[in-house]
Amino acid sequence: MTDVIGNHQARVRIKDLLLRAYIGIKDEEINNQQDVLINVCLTYDANDAINENEISAALNYRTITKQIIHHVDGNRFALLERLTHEVLSIVMEHEAVQWAQVEIDKPHALRYAESVSVCLEAHR
């Protein structure tokens, strides 16, 4: 197999993680769970994972996903901005993550719109 020389920054995407949370400020939103659709994109140095071919050398995105689910599912948030910030903080707690972007959609939040989303990003 040919050696590939260059940047081994892995880009990991967690797509369309569908959870339910109490999100909003209106009585209806406070009293009823709503769908939120979470998308995470992150980068990390995958050299060790590539060279060792061992799970222990890779970023465990399953763990990150479980942490997001535990934090969001069934919990209460007034603002989509705050929820997005908290999910981004969970992702950035992992030292291997060098850059991350989180976008969270709130489907049908506006009349005539498929959804409203907030996107935040962070880097080291």
Side-chain angles (χ1 to χ4, degrees), residues 8-20:
H8 288 116
Q9 287 293 309
R11 184 176 297 256
V12 176
R13 294 179 190 273
I14 302 167
K15 296 181 181 182
D16 299 334
L17 179 61
L18 181 61
L19 302 175
R20 294 188 55 74

Side-chain angles (χ1 to χ4, degrees), residues 21-87:
Y22 298 93
I23 182 158
I25 56 172
K26 297 179 186 174
D27 285 342
E28 180 181 320
E29 296 170 321
I30 292 169
N31 295 322
N32 297 300
Q33 290 190 57
Q34 299 174 70
D35 290 342
V36 290
L37 194 61
I38 300 173
N39 286 282
V40 177
C41 185
L42 61 88
T43 61
Y44 82 101
D45 183 347
N47 275 316
D48 291 343
I50 291 166
N51 293 330
E52 297 174 26
N53 197 29
E54 295 288 335
I55 188 70
S56 61
L59 178 70
N60 192 333
Y61 47 83
R62 183 176 183 202
T63 298
I64 293 172
T65 303
K66 283 183 170 184
Q67 290 173 329
I68 293 169
I69 292 167
H70 179 73
H71 185 75
V72 174
D73 206 35
N75 281 330
R76 295 185 181 276
F77 306 92
L79 299 175
L80 194 53
E81 291 84 351
R82 179 61 188 208
L83 172 57
T84 306
H85 168 77
E86 290 180 16
V87 171

